Amino acid sequence: MYDIAQVRKDFPILNRMVNNVPLVYLDNAATSQKPASVIAALVDYYEQYNANVHRGAHTLAMEATMAYEEAREKVAAFINAPSPENIVFVRNTTEAINLVAHTWAAERVGAGDRIVTTEMEHHSNLVPWQHVARTNDAELRLMAVGPDYTLDLSDLDELLSPSTRLVALTHMSNVLGTITPVKEITEAAHRVGARVLVDAAQSVPHMPVDVQEMGCDFMAFSGHKMAGPTGIGGLYISPDVIDEVEPFLRGGEMVLEVTYESATWNRPPMKFEAGTPNIADAIALGAAVDYLSGLGMEQVREHEIALTGYALERFHELEDVETYGPTDLSVRGGVVSFYMSGIHPHDISQVLDSFGVAIRAGHHCAMPLVRSKLHVPATARASFYLYNTEQEVDVLISALRQTMEYFGDADARQAR
Ligand code: PMP
C-alpha cells in the first residue's frame, strides 16, 4: 500500500484552506484533483515545445507529435488496449459516447432494432440513445436496478433479443457506486450479435480496467476524473468494430487524399480526430496515467474499498440518514449517496462547505434513477479518491452531526 501522507503532498490543492479550515475534498466523482506532475506537464508543453502535431518537420512539431502519441501509448497500455490505434482522444466521456451514437449507432441501429441500457445510467449514456432510438425508430429498453442496488440480470435473456444491436452500460454508477458485471453482460450480448459500449467514467480512474478481458467494443472515459486535466478523454474502439465506424467530424488531419469532389480517410485513430487536437491536455493525461500506474491501480482500488467500508460504518452511526448503494464492497466503488430526512441536500452541501467539506448535491445527472428508484428529489454525495483519508471521513461525519443539530431533530425538520 502506498504512503498516503506522501501521496497527499503530490496534490498542491490539498494544502488549501476553505473558510479558514483545511479543504476536505469529497467531490471526486465530479472531478478529481491533479498532482503536481500533471500540472508540470502542461506548463512544460507550453513553455518548451508548444507546436501543432502531425504537421511540421521542425523540432518543436516533432517533439509535440512524439509526446502526444506517447500519451496515446500510455493510455492504451493503461486499459490494456491491443494497440494505440484503438484509442481516440476526445473531450470527455460524453463526447466519446456521442461519437458512437452519431456514427456507428446512427448507421447500424435500424427501425425495429433494440438498444439496451440500464436504469442507473448517467444522462451521458442515456440521452444519446434516446436520440438514436427516436430518430431511427428503434426501441430503447432498460436493465433494472434491483433492491440491493445491483443490476437485475434476471431478464437479460429476454432483453438480449436477436434485434438487439447495442448494449450501453455503465461500469460504475456515479450515484450508487455499483460496479456492474460488464464481462458477463458483454459475453451474453455478443452471443446475440450485439455490440457493447461501456461508460467507464467512474471505473477507469478507480480500479484496474482491462478492455480485452472485458471484451467490450467501445469504452468511454474522462481524463479529468483520473487525475488528468479537463478537456481530454478517451474512446476505446475494439479492433473487431473499428472498421464499422465512420468519422464523426470531417476536416483536416483525418483525411488521406482530398479532391474537389471527395476525400478518403486516414487510418484510425487519426480518422476520428479531425482538426487540431487538445495536445497539451492529452500529454498531461499521459502524465496522469504515469502517476496512477506508479501507485498501482490495485492499490488505489484497495485504498478506496477500505475507505468506503469505513465511511459506511461511520454513516450508519447517524440516525435519520439513508445511504444508497450495494453493501458488498467488492461490487461498490467509493461513492456514498445519502439523504437526511427533512434537510434538502443542497442545504447539507452548503453547511458542509462552512466546515471545508466539498460534496455534491443534486440528481448527479441521473435524474430518472434518483427520482424513480431512490424516490427522492436529490441526494447528497460524498465520493472518494486515492488521496482521501479516514480522518477526512471523520471530519465529514462530525460536520454532518453539526448540520443535523443546526436543523433540529427529524420531527422538527419534518414539521418545518
Ligand atoms: N458517466 C458517468 C458514470 C459519470 O459519472 C460522468 C461524469 N459525472 C459522465 C458519464 C460524464 O462525464 P463527462 O462530464 O466528463 O463527459
Side-chain angles (χ1 to χ4, degrees):
M1 184 46 76
Y2 52 79
D3 179 348
I4 189 91
Q6 208 52 45
V7 161
R8 288 181 66 81
K9 287 191 192 142
D10 295 333
F11 290 79
I13 209 168
L14 298 181
N15 291 322
R16 241 205 91 154
M17 304 293 277
V18 170
N19 296 317
N20 300 317
V21 283
L23 166 69
V24 173
Y25 186 77
L26 301 177
D27 193 17
N28 294 286
T31 200
S32 69
Q33 298 304 346
K34 327 298 174 197
S37 59
V38 167
I39 300 165
L42 287 171
V43 173
D44 189 44
Y45 167 75
Y46 284 121
E47 285 188 350
Q48 298 297 330
Y49 59 101
N50 172 48
N52 212 330
V53 288
H54 304 138
R55 311 184 171 177
H58 60 80
T59 301
L60 265 55
M62 286 189 290
E63 286 178 6
T65 303
M66 229 148 63
Y68 180 72
E69 290 305 329
E70 217 176 89
R72 195 192 308 277
E73 285 166 25
K74 289 176 186 178
V75 171
F78 189 64
I79 58 165
N80 195 29
S83 151
E85 257 188 27
N86 301 103
I87 303 296
V88 179
F89 281 128
V90 289
R91 272 191 309 145
N92 48 35
T93 303
T94 306
E95 185 173 300
I97 296 171
N98 273 275
L99 190 156
V100 179
H102 285 275
T103 57
W104 183 88
E107 293 196 353
R108 303 222 168 215
V109 178
D113 284 346
R114 180 181 288 181
I115 299 171
V116 175
T117 183
T118 84
E119 286 179 340
M120 61 167 86
E121 298 307 316
H122 187 281
H123 296 161
S124 292
N125 201 28
L126 176 64
V127 178
W129 308 125
Q130 291 173 342
H131 178 75
V132 173
R134 199 172 309 116
T135 48
N136 291 15
D137 215 7
E139 179 193 25
L140 184 63
R141 293 280 300 270
L142 301 170
M143 246 181 268
V145 176
D148 62 353
Y149 301 107
T150 65
L151 281 182
D152 176 0
L153 302 183
S154 60
D155 53 358
L156 188 61
D157 285 346
E158 191 273 316
L159 283 173
L160 296 176
S161 71
S163 65
T164 306
R165 292 285 158 271
L166 179 72
V167 177
L169 84 159
T170 189
H171 196 188
M172 188 193 290
S173 159
N174 65 315
V175 178
L176 305 170
T178 308
I179 298 170
T180 59
V182 275
K183 187 177 179 196
E184 186 185 337
I185 293 170
T186 298
E187 283 169 1
H190 284 171
R191 280 197 290 275
V192 298
R195 298 290 185 189
V196 176
L197 177 142
V198 176
D199 172 353
Q202 296 294 345
S203 60
V204 165
H206 298 279
M207 58 196 257
V209 170
D210 179 333
V211 284
Q212 295 189 72
E213 149 89 9
M214 212 189 268
C216 59
D217 300 288
F218 304 100
M219 189 179 83
F221 52 100
S222 296
H224 68 94
K225 293 183 199 278
M226 53 189 284
T230 50
I232 190 79
L235 171 66
Y236 162 74
I237 310 180
S238 85
D240 294 344
V241 75
I242 202 158
D243 292 334
E244 294 178 9
V245 188
E246 281 295 301
F248 181 29
L249 302 173
R250 290 169 170 81
E253 287 291 285
M254 52 76 68
V255 284
L256 210 54
E257 293 279 344
V258 184
T259 66
Y260 281 116
E261 290 75 34
S262 64
T264 55
W265 312 142
N266 211 331
R267 290 283 313 142
M270 308 277 281
K271 173 178 161 185
F272 303 108
E273 292 182 6
T276 299
N278 188 347
I279 305 161
D281 292 317
I283 293 169
L285 175 59
V289 163
D290 284 342
Y291 185 82
L292 294 175
S293 304
L295 294 180
M297 290 311 290
E298 293 283 358
Q299 275 68 29
V300 169
R301 172 76 182 126
E302 223 174 88
H303 171 72
E304 290 182 26
I305 289 178
L307 196 59
T308 308
Y310 179 73
L312 287 172
E313 266 173 37
R314 299 276 354 246
F315 261 99
H316 295 154
E317 292 168 14
L318 300 173
E319 283 174 19
D320 306 320
V321 177
E322 173 130 27
T323 59
Y324 307 96
T327 48
D328 177 358
L329 291 173
S330 71
V331 292
R332 178 176 188 145
V335 174
V336 181
S337 281
F338 59 97
Y339 190 76
M340 284 179 168
S341 55
I343 313 181
H344 196 281
H346 285 114
D347 294 337
I348 298 174
S349 159
Q350 239 164 20
V351 179
L352 288 188
D353 185 59
S354 65
F355 294 97
V357 180
I359 62 151
R360 172 136 313 208
H363 49 63
H364 318 292
C365 294
M367 216 185 266
L369 173 71
V370 171
R371 290 194 178 157
S372 58
K373 288 282 141 181
L374 309 186
H375 307 290
V376 288
T379 72
R381 179 187 72 185
S383 54
F384 309 118
Y385 205 19
L386 53 92
Y387 38 68
N388 291 122
T389 63
E390 290 191 356
Q391 256 165 310
E392 289 182 305
V393 172
D394 293 340
V395 173
L396 165 71
I397 298 296
S398 147
L400 283 173
R401 279 193 196 287
Q402 292 176 70
T403 308
M404 284 155 92
E405 275 164 29
Y406 176 80
F407 281 95
D409 66 23
D411 292 341
R413 297 195 304 255
Q414 297 288 15
R416 200 173 291 140

